[in-house]
Amino acid sequence: MSYINKTLIFDQDKIYYEKNNQKLEVMMDWEDNLMSASAAYVCSNGGDILEVGFGMGISAEYIQSHNINSHTIIENHPQILPKAKQWAKDKPNVTIVEGDWYEVKDTLSMYDGLFFDTYNDPNLKHFSSSLFPLVKKGGLITWWNSLSEEKNYFNIPNVTYQQFSVNPPQNSYFNSTTYYLPQCQL
């Protein structure tokens, strides 16, 4: 069963689901400073921002704190979508796009910044080949980096990393004390 079909549990500090009596976290609030830094990077030139994956809305809130023209969010989980739509209600520069990012990418515009943070994404392998039609020349991109090293599994050229010391609680997706925030200008 894919992640999209999982019943999510929303706690104050995390989103998770259960499988075989084990909690599998999707997102947790310890990521707050990483979401802030990701938003600051992709918004540093202003303009139009694309965010793939809403999650707990942490990065979305930070993106909105910057001087941007528009903020497009793609979300596909049926339990997270209503939360994203409710969050966006009073934000006239936000557009929520429902669906899988890879399936809707050809309906989108071009953006000045892109933040990509999906979970258990079957289309992750298409991320790097999909960037150029979505991001303007000079645009800034970053993504959730689940690796605990400066390694670019997308083979995107000219990526640098900003290093952060983190102290995540034990979880199912990231347990290193160093996070490498990827940064790339196309």
Side-chain angles (χ1 to χ4, degrees):
M1 183 187 309
S2 78
Y3 158 72
I4 294 303
N5 299 320
K6 299 289 185 191
T7 299
L8 300 180
I9 300 163
F10 296 85
D11 279 355
Q12 186 172 341
D13 63 341
K14 66 185 161 207
I15 301 171
Y16 67 97
Y17 62 94
E18 293 180 348
K19 181 178 179 181
N20 300 328
N21 294 322
Q22 182 179 13
K23 287 183 181 180
L24 298 173
E25 294 87 3
V26 174
M27 185 174 191
M28 301 175 75
D29 67 358
W30 71 264
E31 300 173 37
D32 188 273
N33 68 325
L34 303 176
M35 297 295 108
S36 176
S38 297
Y41 179 70
V42 299
C43 295
S44 59
N45 292 337
D48 303 309
I49 306 301
L50 175 61
E51 180 178 12
V52 181
F54 182 75
M56 294 173 70
I58 299 170
S59 54
E61 200 66 48
Y62 282 118
I63 288 170
Q64 282 295 297
S65 74
H66 293 276
N67 186 18
I68 59 170
N69 296 335
S70 72
H71 181 186
T72 302
I73 301 170
I74 304 171
E75 179 55 57
N76 65 348
H77 196 283
Q79 284 179 270
I80 295 178
L81 260 167
K83 294 177 182 302
K85 290 176 181 178
Q86 180 63 35
W87 174 86
K89 263 186 171 177
D90 64 345
K91 296 167 183 68
N93 70 337
V94 174
T95 302
I96 303 293
V97 177
E98 186 173 335
D100 181 285
W101 72 270
Y102 189 70
E103 292 173 9
V104 302
K105 68 180 174 44
D106 295 333
T107 68
L108 301 172
S109 184
M110 290 188 79
Y111 300 89
D112 299 289
L114 185 152
F115 178 44
F116 188 88
D117 186 4
T118 62
Y119 179 83
N120 205 7
D121 186 345
N123 292 309
L124 200 57
K125 63 185 176 246
H126 302 296
F127 176 58
S128 59
S129 63
S130 300
L131 288 176
F132 294 100
L134 291 173
V135 181
K136 297 173 186 174
K137 183 167 178 48
L140 303 172
I141 62 166
T142 190
W143 57 89
W144 173 259
N145 181 14
S146 59
L147 302 177
S148 57
E149 59 184 322
E150 292 184 6
K151 187 173 179 183
N152 179 350
Y153 48 73
F154 293 119
N155 295 315
I156 298 168
N158 305 316
V159 175
T160 60
Y161 296 86
Q162 184 178 359
Q163 188 173 328
F164 290 86
S165 292
V166 294
N167 188 21
Q170 184 65 34
N171 65 77
S172 60
Y173 66 94
F174 191 88
N175 288 292
S176 175
T177 56
T178 304
Y179 179 81
Y180 295 92
L181 176 69
Q183 299 175 329
C184 180
Q185 183 171 21
L186 293 185

